[in-house]
């Protein structure tokens, strides 16, 4: 079979891959930075094993399923959401494990975009005489690991921008007060989002106005269902702070989890004593490229990807930083939580963006989902490329 198989998949194939995707979804919160992967093994259209990757550094989905088999897997069919790895990392190659097990057929949802794999796992299986079919429910499988796919294909993290606003598009009072615009159901969803991401990015303006925690506050039983604990659930907190204006008494500096202050190289060179005080408080300081008081967003994201191995970034910031990410074309998904309230013209807007000279310059988004959360509406949108004819 070729890497782009044209196999006509049976209803049973589709059902089994859907089950593998459901299994993979159990690891979405706990596997980062590794992709979430699920695996089902069948013998004569009977499930004999299931498995999913539960945590980075632990066995991958294929090996978990092989270990869970209730009978011999010789001649069996394996359904896996991502191409089996073919390289040695923290665990040995899954392609080798499948070859050694004697399975006859491997059905793969999507090829691994990781250059270390990128078809080599499939080739290893085919060289051993195993039938390989690929491309079944590939879009569903890719949706589970948007950050991983973005990092491997585009060399940057997947960015989700979260905004909580009123019906008239306001996000905070004139004095910066923003707690709470939305209801408890929306806030719970935000904590789930935080738990899914490797990092949360905010601006120093938000720190000065709100003194936020930017941590995950979910009950222990919910964390356990997500494969997390109260100790390991918190994303890296990243504050964009070109002038190092974050107070040494900021709440987030004393909370579990890491806080990273990103500043300009000029400020870093002139603030060695202050930086040492931040380190004593438990914060870390990193200098990136900047243009005056504005940090270079691509440099920020490159650091997070290359040095922190963070593939999913959540931006939870005020109008200036939120607008900067949109203007830079760095937002993959816009998550909007809209409350049924009006805050008036003195309140702060959702985004600070330059004025438009022509309608053709407008920023257009496409709705991906709309749902009610308590009294609020939760919208997920993606950027849309618009032709001149559509203006």
């Amino acid at each position: 079979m070729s890497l782009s198989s044209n196999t006509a998949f049976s209803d049973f194939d589709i059902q089994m891959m859907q089950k593998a995707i459901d299994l993979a979804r159990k690891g979405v919160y706990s596997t980062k930075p590794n992709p979430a992967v699920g695996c089902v093994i069948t013998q004569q259209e009977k499930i004999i094993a299931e498995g999913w990757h539960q945590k980075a550094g632990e066995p991958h989905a294929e090996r978990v399923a092989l270990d869970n088999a209730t009978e011999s897997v010789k001649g069996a069919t394996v359904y896996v959401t991502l191409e089996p790895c073919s390289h040695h990392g923290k665990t040995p190659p899954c392609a080798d494990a499948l070859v050694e097990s004697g399975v006859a057929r491997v059905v793969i949802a999507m090829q691994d975009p990781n250059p270390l794999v990128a078809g080599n796992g499939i080739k290893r299986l085919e060289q051993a005489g195993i039938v390989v079919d690929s491309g079944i429910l590939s879009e569903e499988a890719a949706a589970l690991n948007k950050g991983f796919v973005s990092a491997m294909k585009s060399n940057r993290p997947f960015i989700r921008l979260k905004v909580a606003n009123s019906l008239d598009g306001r996000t905070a009072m004139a004095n910066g007060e923003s707690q709470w615009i939305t209801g408890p159901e929306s806030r719970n969803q935000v904590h789930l989002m935080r738990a899914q991401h490797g990092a949360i990015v905010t601006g120093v303006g938000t720190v000065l106005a709100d003194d936020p925690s930017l941590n995950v506050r979910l009950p222990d039983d919910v964390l356990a269902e997500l494969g997390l604990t109260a100790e390991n659930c918190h994303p890296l907190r990243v504050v964009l702070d070109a002038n190092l204006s974050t107070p040494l008494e900021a709440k987030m500096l004393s909370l579990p989890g890491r806080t990273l202050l990103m500043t300009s190289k000029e400020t870093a060179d002139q603030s060695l004593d202050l930086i040492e005080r931040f380190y004593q408080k438990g914060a870390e300081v990193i200098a990136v490229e900047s243009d005056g008081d504005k940090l270079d967003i691509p440099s920020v994201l490159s650091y997070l990807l290359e040095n922190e191995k963070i593939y999913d970034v959540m931006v939870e910031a005020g109008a200036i930083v939120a607008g900067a990410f949109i203007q830079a074309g760095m937002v993959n998904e816009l998550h909007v939580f809209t409350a049924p309230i009006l805050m008036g013209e003195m309140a702060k807007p959702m985004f600070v963006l330059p004025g438009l000279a022509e309608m053709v310059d407008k920023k257009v988004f496409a709705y991906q989902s709309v749902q009610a959360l308590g009294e609020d509406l939760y919208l997920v949108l993606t950027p849309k490329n618009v032709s001149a004819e559509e203006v």
Side-chain angles (χ1 to χ4, degrees):
M1 295 290 175
S2 65
L3 298 187
S4 56
S5 170
N6 292 319
T7 300
F9 294 105
S10 69
D11 289 343
F12 182 79
D13 288 334
I14 295 172
Q15 292 170 9
M16 291 303 98
M17 187 57 75
Q18 184 60 61
K19 188 167 187 63
I21 289 173
D22 293 341
L23 289 168
R25 194 170 286 113
K26 295 183 177 183
V28 163
Y29 291 88
S30 59
T31 62
K32 52 184 179 288
N34 287 2
V37 180
C39 180
V40 174
I41 303 177
T42 67
Q43 195 72 271
Q44 297 180 339
E45 296 200 344
K46 181 185 73 172
I47 295 176
I48 63 170
E50 298 178 358
W52 71 92
H53 183 40
Q54 299 182 25
K55 186 178 180 182
E58 294 186 359
H60 291 182
E62 299 95 319
R63 289 183 177 272
V64 173
L66 289 170
D67 289 343
N68 289 340
T70 56
E71 60 183 79
S72 173
V73 300
K74 193 171 183 62
T77 295
V78 177
Y79 297 86
V80 62
T81 57
L82 185 69
E83 176 186 359
C85 60
S86 55
H87 65 290
H88 283 269
K90 292 183 179 180
T91 59
C94 292
D96 288 354
L98 292 173
V99 169
E100 293 163 5
S101 71
V103 301
R105 180 185 180 220
V106 176
V107 183
I108 299 168
M110 64 174 288
Q111 183 175 322
D112 193 333
N114 186 343
L116 294 174
V117 184
N120 291 321
I122 292 175
K123 290 177 183 176
R124 174 75 179 94
L125 298 174
E126 291 179 328
Q127 288 169 354
I130 296 174
V131 175
V132 179
D133 295 320
S134 61
I136 177 174
L137 300 185
S138 58
E139 291 185 3
E140 292 86 342
L144 290 173
N145 297 298
K146 293 178 180 179
F148 177 75
V149 173
S150 177
M152 296 301 146
K153 288 189 173 182
S154 305
N155 200 35
R156 73 177 182 87
F158 191 90
I159 312 299
R160 296 176 179 87
L161 171 58
K162 168 261 173 182
V163 182
N165 63 277
S166 62
L167 283 176
D168 50 349
R170 304 294 171 168
T171 61
M173 301 300 295
N175 62 4
E177 180 185 356
S178 62
Q179 297 180 342
W180 298 103
I181 291 176
T182 54
E185 294 86 358
S186 291
R187 298 199 294 274
N188 183 73
Q189 179 63 31
V190 169
H191 284 287
L192 288 170
M193 287 182 65
R194 289 178 180 177
Q196 189 177 349
H197 287 76
I200 297 180
V201 172
T202 194
V204 67
T206 297
V207 175
L208 294 173
D210 289 348
D211 193 18
S213 299
L214 295 183
N215 58 0
V216 175
R217 299 188 294 278
L218 293 169
D220 288 345
D221 59 335
V222 174
L223 290 174
E225 290 178 5
L226 303 179
L228 300 172
T229 67
E231 290 72 35
N232 71 5
C233 65
H234 307 292
L236 173 67
R237 296 180 287 267
V238 180
V239 181
L240 306 185
D241 188 356
N243 298 308
L244 283 184
S245 303
T246 297
L248 287 162
E249 299 75 26
K251 187 191 305 179
M252 67 174 65
L253 302 185
S254 62
L255 295 174
R258 295 169 56 203
T259 299
L260 180 63
L261 307 180
M262 286 196 161
T263 192
S264 69
K265 293 182 178 180
E266 181 181 5
T267 297
D269 290 340
Q270 299 172 357
S271 309
L272 297 181
D273 290 343
L274 178 58
I275 290 173
E276 178 58 31
R277 294 171 70 187
F278 276 120
Y279 273 94
Q280 291 173 359
K281 286 286 187 177
E284 303 163 55
V285 180
I286 294 295
V288 296
E289 298 294 331
S290 65
D291 181 7
D293 289 343
K294 297 180 180 179
L295 299 183
D296 181 66
I297 291 177
S299 296
V300 169
L301 298 178
S302 292
Y303 179 87
L304 294 177
L305 178 65
E306 296 170 10
N307 296 82
E308 299 290 345
K309 208 174 181 181
I310 287 172
Y311 300 155
D312 291 272
V313 171
M314 178 177 175
V315 179
E316 193 170 350
I320 294 176
V321 171
F325 269 84
I326 289 178
Q327 190 65 16
M330 293 293 177
V331 175
N332 297 107
E333 287 181 354
L334 179 59
H335 292 245
V336 181
F337 298 83
T338 300
I341 61 173
L342 299 173
M343 296 174 64
E345 64 179 3
M346 296 300 292
K348 295 187 177 183
M350 296 170 66
F351 312 111
V352 171
L353 292 167
L356 301 181
E358 299 179 358
M359 195 58 134
V360 70
D361 297 323
K362 65 186 178 182
K363 305 291 184 183
V364 181
F365 288 79
Y367 289 103
Q368 300 302 313
S369 64
V370 179
Q371 69 179 103
L373 286 179
E375 296 182 350
D376 305 327
L377 280 182
Y378 173 33
L379 317 177
V380 179
L381 307 98
T382 55
K384 180 181 178 183
N385 293 323
V386 179
S387 64
E389 290 76 15
E390 294 180 85
V391 174

